[in-house]
């Protein structure tokens, strides 16, 4: 992202110049500061609402340019519905809707007054911080390759500053510090997913992760030699057709303090920087989307950054397997048999089922080295999950009901929704191989489930584990109030919440 809008906080004091945003609740009710402004300006707000039959419905806006009786350039009335019923996501979305109307054309600074129409229930610091986070997330653009630089979103007329006025600005500022850490993590994940694969290969990705050491994350990069020494034949088999060397990056955040020997939570990501399918090559239509096949790894990166920035009281380890899946004279062939780090042999019947090969070794490594108390992996693993769930929910698979419920709950509160799909011995049978211990594809049916069964073969029974198939939600997902980007950054807010609510001491 190139030109972020700075967000700051101040006590309520209706400005005289530039752009002002106010909120209106159901029935067109406005708060005290807005009322005072309305009165001073000869009832312009109430009259405009009446004429346009604006009732403060959520998502509706009333846009007044050079409002008479004021020296403002623009007065934007944003419908908020009933603030008293607001959940966290409602605040987030309200911030997003508001931000979408602020292009900066009427001045590069905007002020918003956050107040309810009635004194109770009071708007809290977290509510304001969530509104601000929604505005922050909505303001993201990936325009580093646009050389024209003069459109509304990235030119000199972009919104540069957003001042949020509220009661208790200090508390809101503090609450936003934490929210902003998470927002920056989401933006990092989006940047990585949006970046084309000629720029972001495994080595460049690893380099970007190295930067996290500046904020206290311990980062180790394992190259092909080290991976071979570890016996990671499954992960390495994917990158054999690529000129770009495969990498595994281990990121450790030790924030648990006194409990610093507490077992970590491990988060593991699929980082296929580009997936052609390999020798089992994909059809050309839409193949460009496969630059985003590292969205799981991108989420791990964003999460680790968020945890370290907000100094989360937890020991967390993030592990990403970074490879490129290309067809080549040296590439893995369908029918090849490789040995994973766990010792299991895998018959590669389809080289396009490569994500599970990467994760097989990354998951095994995570367990062997770190003995995690819980382990979650994210992967753009199957097209089949999009067939099953569309792009509203990510698929959730787990060997542990408690972890599954925790994740589902975190999904509900953050709006990054998960839907659990089954695992079981009958599905597991579908990946038995004639020549090796297992094969890397099931059959035509239940493709997301057989992929998850494959992963489970590399998970110890006593480790609470969940697999999130984010193929539908992490890239090219439907645009929302808080995301207009191709790479959505899915999973960062979700896992930050999972950790905050369940694992932080
Ligand atoms: N990266 C793809 C899955 C994918 C597809 C993600 C579409 C996002 C959008 C994965 O590596 C893949 O190719 N999966 C195959 C598995 C099959 C060969 C068993 C698939 O889904 O078709
Ligand atoms: Mn593939
Ligand atoms: Zn893939």
């Amino acid at each position: 992202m190139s030109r972020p809008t700075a967000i700051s906080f101040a006590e309520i004091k209706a400005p005289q110049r530039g752009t002002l945003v106010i909120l209106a609740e159901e029935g067109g009710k406005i708060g005290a500061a807005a009322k005072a402004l309305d009165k001073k300006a000869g009832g312009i707000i109430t009259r405009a609402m009446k004429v346009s039959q604006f009732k403060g419905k959520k998502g509706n806006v009333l846009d007044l340019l050079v409002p008479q009786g004021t020296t403002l350039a623009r007065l934007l009335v944003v419908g908020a519905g009933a603030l008293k019923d607001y959940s966290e996501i409602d605040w987030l979305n309200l911030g997003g809707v508001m931000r979408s109307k602020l292009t900066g054309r009427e001045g590069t600074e905007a002020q918003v007054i956050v107040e309810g129409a009635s004194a109770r229930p009071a708007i809290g610091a977290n509510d304001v911080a969530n509104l601000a986070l929604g505005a922050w997330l909505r303001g993201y653009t990936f325009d580093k390759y646009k050389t024209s630089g003069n459109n509304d979103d990235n030119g000199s007329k972009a919104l540069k500053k957003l001042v949020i006025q509220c009661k208790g600005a200090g508390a809101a500022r503090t609450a936003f510090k934490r929210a902003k850490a998470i927002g920056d993590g989401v933006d990092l994940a989006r940047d990585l997913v949006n970046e084309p694969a000629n720029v972001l290969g495994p080595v460049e990705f690893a380099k970007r992760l190295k930067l996290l050491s500046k904020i206290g994350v311990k980062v180790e990069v394992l190259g092909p030699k080290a991976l071979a020494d570890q016996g990671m034949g499954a992960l390495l088999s994917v990158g054999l057709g690529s000129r770009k060397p495969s990498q595994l990056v281990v990121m450790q955040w030790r924030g648990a303090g006194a409990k610093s020997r507490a077992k970590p939570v491990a988060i593991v990501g699929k980082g296929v920087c580009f997936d052609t399918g390999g020798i089992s090559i994909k059809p050309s239509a839409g193949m460009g989307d496969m630059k985003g096949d590292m969205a799981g790894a991108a989420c791990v990166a964003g999460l680790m950054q968020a945890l370290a920035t907000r100094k989360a009281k937890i020991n967390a380890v993030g592990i990403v397997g970074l490879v490129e899946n290309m067809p080549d004279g040296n590439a893995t062939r369908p029918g090849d048999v490789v040995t994973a780090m766990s010792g299991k042999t895998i018959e590669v019947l389809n080289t396009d089922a490569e994500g599970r090969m990467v994760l097989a070794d990354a998951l095994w490594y995570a367990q062997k080295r770190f003995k995690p108390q819980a382990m979650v992996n994210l992967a753009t693993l199957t097209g089949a999950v999009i067939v099953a769930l569309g792009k509203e929910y990510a698929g959730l698979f787990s060997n542990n009901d408690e972890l599954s419920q925790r994740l589902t709950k975190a999904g509900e509160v953050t709006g990054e929704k998960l839907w659990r799909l089954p695992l079981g011995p009958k599905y597991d049978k579908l990946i038995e191989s004639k020549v090796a211990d297992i094969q890397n594809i099931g059959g035509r049916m239940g493709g997301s489930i057989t992929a998850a069964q494959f992963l489970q073969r590399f998970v110890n029974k006593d480790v609470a584990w969940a697999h999130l198939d984010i193929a539908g939600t992490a890239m090219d997902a439907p645009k929302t109030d808080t995301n207009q980007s191709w790479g959505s950054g899915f999973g960062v807010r979700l896992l930050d919440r999972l950790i905050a609510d369940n694992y932080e001491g």
Side-chain angles (χ1 to χ4, degrees):
M1 119 137 138
S2 45
R3 287 168 184 270
T5 302
I7 296 181
S8 57
F9 299 84
E11 294 300 323
I12 295 175
K13 179 176 178 292
Q16 301 300 312
R17 307 204 170 270
T19 296
L20 175 65
V21 184
I22 61 169
L23 304 179
E25 292 194 63
E26 260 169 2
K29 289 198 214 96
I30 53 177
K35 267 189 197 147
L37 177 70
D38 185 45
K39 201 168 163 204
K40 238 177 90 187
I44 178 178
I45 302 172
T46 39
R47 277 165 49 217
M49 287 200 289
K50 206 166 170 196
V51 170
S52 62
Q53 299 191 12
F54 176 90
K55 302 245 162 55
K57 233 184 96 189
K58 214 190 216 164
N60 287 5
V61 293
L62 181 63
D63 201 347
L64 306 178
L65 292 179
V66 285
Q68 206 186 359
T70 77
T71 48
L72 292 168
R74 184 183 182 200
L75 178 68
L76 195 65
V77 190
V78 174
L83 288 176
K84 66 172 172 37
D85 300 333
Y86 262 37
S87 67
E88 187 176 319
I89 311 171
D90 291 320
W91 281 108
L92 210 67
N93 288 341
L94 182 67
V97 168
M98 177 197 78
R99 178 64 183 84
S100 73
K101 306 293 169 187
L102 302 172
T103 63
R105 258 170 297 171
E106 302 81 28
T108 55
E109 178 179 329
Q111 309 251 350
V112 52
I113 299 178
V114 181
E115 58 172 356
S118 63
R120 279 177 343 134
I123 296 172
N126 282 327
D127 300 332
V128 180
N130 276 315
L131 173 125
L133 177 58
W136 177 264
L137 293 173
R138 179 62 181 248
Y140 173 91
T141 53
F142 184 76
D143 51 18
K144 64 187 277 202
Y145 297 112
K146 297 261 190 203
T147 60
S148 60
N150 238 342
N151 59 52
D152 286 341
D153 288 334
N154 65 7
S156 57
K157 293 195 173 67
L159 187 72
K160 296 203 172 66
K161 205 175 155 195
L162 179 63
V163 182
I164 296 178
Q165 300 189 0
C166 60
K167 273 204 188 98
R173 193 175 298 125
T174 305
F176 183 62
K177 250 197 173 162
R178 180 190 172 108
K180 171 81 161 35
I182 299 162
D184 282 336
V186 175
D187 284 358
L188 171 61
R190 289 173 175 175
D191 277 346
L192 291 167
V193 174
N194 287 328
E195 194 70 71
N198 61 328
V199 175
L200 193 74
V203 170
E204 295 82 11
F205 198 131
K207 258 189 205 144
R208 294 221 193 169
L209 298 180
K210 267 268 172 205
L211 298 176
L212 295 179
S213 53
K214 284 190 202 155
I215 53 171
V217 178
K218 184 175 165 206
V219 185
E220 294 160 76
V221 179
L222 283 70
K225 172 87 178 46
L227 299 179
D229 289 347
Q230 293 284 339
M232 294 202 196
L235 184 151
L236 284 170
S237 75
V238 178
L240 290 179
S242 172
R243 300 275 182 104
K244 308 187 176 192
S246 300
Q247 314 271 300
L248 184 103
V249 182
V250 181
M251 292 161 273
Q252 294 182 66
W253 168 250
R254 300 198 138 268
K259 284 187 258 163
S260 69
R261 270 183 299 162
K263 284 184 180 177
V265 170
I267 313 290
V268 181
K270 167 181 175 182
V272 177
C273 294
F274 196 80
D275 180 14
T276 63
I279 298 298
S280 315
I281 197 160
K282 289 181 179 295
S284 53
M287 200 203 276
D289 283 357
M290 287 302 116
K291 73 170 185 177
D293 207 20
M294 27 56 72
C299 174
V300 176
L303 176 72
M304 295 307 290
Q305 181 182 293
L307 293 175
T309 307
R310 71 172 182 78
K311 300 209 172 11
K313 292 187 181 54
I314 190 199
N315 292 339
V317 42
I319 295 182
V320 298
L322 304 169
V323 300
E324 184 179 57
N325 189 20
M326 300 290 267
D328 177 80
N330 199 40
T332 297
R333 292 155 289 259
D336 286 0
V337 175
V338 301
T339 305
M341 183 186 176
S342 75
K344 274 204 172 70
T345 56
I346 305 166
E347 185 186 12
V348 182
L349 287 179
N350 189 320
T351 63
D352 197 12
E354 85 297 341
R356 64 198 74 179
M357 304 292 291
V358 173
L359 288 172
D361 283 340
L363 289 168
W364 191 261
Y365 181 87
Q367 294 164 92
K368 193 175 162 211
R369 178 165 169 197
F370 295 103
K371 312 264 176 304
Q373 56 168 311
M375 178 166 72
V376 178
N377 75 260
L378 304 102
T380 48
L381 204 63
T382 65
V385 83
I386 310 176
V387 177
L389 299 174
K391 290 175 163 249
E392 286 301 319
Y393 285 80
L396 159 64
F397 300 84
S398 183
N399 64 1
N400 184 289
D401 290 343
E402 185 183 47
L403 176 59
S404 175
Q405 279 154 18
R406 286 172 171 179
L407 278 160
T408 302
K409 172 95 192 301
E412 280 161 11
V413 295
T414 58
E416 297 192 321
K417 292 177 291 185
L418 304 175
W419 196 265
R420 191 175 186 183
L421 293 165
L423 290 165
K426 289 279 165 58
Y427 293 115
D428 195 57
K429 263 215 150 8
L430 300 174
I431 55 170
E432 300 264 273
S433 162
K434 289 200 183 74
V435 303
D437 296 335
I438 45 172
Q439 59 186 38
N440 78 332
I441 50 171
R444 222 167 48 78
M445 293 180 290
S448 301
I449 303 173
T450 48
Q453 291 294 163
F454 184 96
L455 299 183
Q456 195 176 16
R457 292 278 189 131
F458 299 90
V459 175
N460 287 317
K461 280 192 186 60
D462 54 353
V463 176
W465 158 77
H467 153 53
L468 309 181
D469 195 333
I470 59 172
T473 53
M475 56 187 175
D476 197 29
K479 305 272 186 280
T480 66
D481 288 341
T482 51
N483 179 52
Q484 300 284 306
S485 160
W486 184 79
S488 64
F490 184 95
V492 175
R493 291 191 300 109
L494 171 79
L495 294 182
D496 181 82
R497 178 53 68 100
L498 173 81
I499 286 172
D501 284 355
N502 302 287
Y503 299 99
E504 272 189 79

